[in-house]
Amino acid sequence: MTVLDDIAQLATCPPDGADAGLIDAAALVWDAGRIVWAGPAADLPERFAEAERRSAGGRLVVPGLVDCHTHLVHAGDRADEFVERLEGTSYLDIARRGGGIQLSVRATRAASDHDLAEGARARLGAMLRQGVTTVEAKTGYGLTLDDELRVLRIYRDLGAAGPARIVPTLLAAHIVPPEFADDRDAYVRLICDEMIPVVAADGLAAFVDVFVEDSAFTAEEARSIFAAAARHGLGAKLHADQLTDTSGAALAAEVGAASADHLECVSAEGIHKLAEAGVVAVSLPIATLVLGQEPIPARRLLDAGVRVAVATDLNPGSAPSNSLGLALWLACTRQRMTPAEALRGATVEAARALRLDDGTGSLVPGSPADLAVVDAPSLATWLAGWRAEPAVRTVIGGRTVWEWSP
Ligand code: NIG
Ligand code: FE
């Protein structure tokens, strides 16, 4: 049993409600990897008097951050395209001529298992040092049965090795790979009839994601892919209404998706449908910024009763950053979310977007003891600015997995 005290401010992010559950001058107690008590230090029950004590050093303590949308495994470098975009070529024009996602697919297929795994491990390590404890990780740069499976096996192995918790997603429907350009239906059949059954049978993914966009998959194609996913017990996620309004939000509601992600171009009707169906909206403000788009209408989503998560979208093109802290700061500054809404978005609402119902993303009795000690006296102070590595300690399952040392 461990008591963490000298917490200047504790954010408990309770599953119900809409606030960060802030407690000043707090203490937190865990045992066997689970939270057993959280509250004002002055109220700490006598029965914990003998427990091992650790100090948060007068800092902010938050639930371990949950990055609920990443493209963690990828290879190759798209820096030339970055410069081209600055010079005026659009993301879609680059995609149409075989660059963009296709370039990353070629590089990922050519990379060895070892190099792919090492790249992902390095990115995960950097995230852990920022207080991130759970990471959703998509495929989507393999796009053959074998390449998608090997990426999922890398995720399985990374998750088994720990300490970060990994939630794997099959995104074989990222784009139609060039070898199927003349027979899109055959690729959709490959996903539905071969990839999804094998992935489900081997327990390699929790979700199936589809990029619904003019340059990727139609709503009709997505419907058959989600039907196959449902038959095999896999949840649905969508890259929806990112570059254009393709009624992706309505489709997410129709198929009962766990989340609809991006949504920069979501319509008023789409917002209404998300609210009705209880689909989490995942905002990805780094991608919005990189692609020079108007921010997701977070206030309208929140006012309509939609839960809004915040994630990095870490990928080699539209969001080449692993900084969930940066995404949080942009959620405040560009999406007009309060620090409390933003933090919930990268903890308890992100866990909801992953359908984790074991208390992940909160620090309440029963939650996993996953937390970050942030070098700020309060949540508002942290998110009023941006720092590359805000955490000084990351704890997963009650075990310190990283600690800053001067
Ligand atoms: O989430 N929208 C599609 N997929 C990624 C982009 C991936 C890439 O550019 O490689 C995204 O933004
Ligand atoms: Fe994405």
Side-chain angles (χ1 to χ4, degrees), residues 210-341:
V210 179
F211 184 18
V212 181
E213 189 64 56
D214 293 344
S215 56
F217 291 85
T218 66
E220 240 356 88
E221 290 166 340
R223 274 191 189 92
S224 29
I225 294 168
F226 289 132
R231 280 197 298 279
H232 289 87
L234 300 177
K237 284 183 164 287
L238 281 83
H239 281 67
D241 301 333
Q242 178 188 15
L243 306 170
T244 54
D245 172 13
T246 53
S247 300
L251 179 61
E254 176 191 319
V255 302
S259 71
D261 303 34
H262 285 288
L263 297 174
E264 284 88 343
C265 301
V266 68
S267 65
E269 196 195 339
I271 293 176
H272 175 71
K273 296 216 157 135
L274 292 176
E276 243 178 22
V279 177
V280 178
V282 177
S283 66
L284 303 164
I286 299 174
T288 313
L289 182 73
V290 169
L291 298 185
Q293 292 188 276
E294 286 301 310
I296 182 175
R299 287 258 60 91
R300 283 168 50 216
L301 285 157
L302 288 162
D303 291 348
V306 180
R307 306 257 178 196
V308 180
V310 181
T312 58
D313 196 16
L314 167 61
N315 74 64
S318 63
S321 169
N322 58 37
S323 175
L324 192 48
L326 174 59
L328 286 172
W329 187 58
L330 292 172
C332 295
T333 53
R334 297 198 74 226
Q335 298 176 182
R336 294 181 42 236
M337 292 170 74
T338 63
E341 288 165 342

Side-chain angles (χ1 to χ4, degrees), residues 336-361:
R336 294 181 42 236
M337 292 170 74
T338 63
E341 288 165 342
L343 179 68
R344 283 188 67 89
T347 54
V348 64
E349 305 307 350
R352 203 184 304 269
L354 299 178
R355 297 221 164 118
L356 298 173
D357 53 11
D358 63 344
T360 297

Side-chain angles (χ1 to χ4, degrees), residues 73-78 103-105 107-109 111 116 123 141 316:
V73 161
H74 55 259
D77 183 327
R78 283 159 56 189
L103 194 151
S104 297
V105 169
T108 303
R109 287 178 177 175
L116 291 181
R123 290 176 200 119
Y141 296 113

Side-chain angles (χ1 to χ4, degrees), residues 94-147:
I94 290 173
R96 281 191 201 102
R97 64 136 208 257
I101 297 172
Q102 281 194 55
L103 194 151
S104 297
V105 169
R106 288 193 292 278
T108 303
R109 287 178 177 175
S112 67
D113 291 6
H114 176 265
D115 287 355
L116 291 181
E118 283 311 302
R121 201 190 317 278
R123 290 176 200 119
L124 266 184
M127 293 160 93
L128 208 71
R129 293 192 291 276
Q130 299 170 58
V132 177
T133 54
T134 298
V135 175
E136 186 262 10
K138 301 178 195 296
T139 65
Y141 296 113
L143 311 187
T144 64
L145 176 62
D146 285 351
D147 283 301

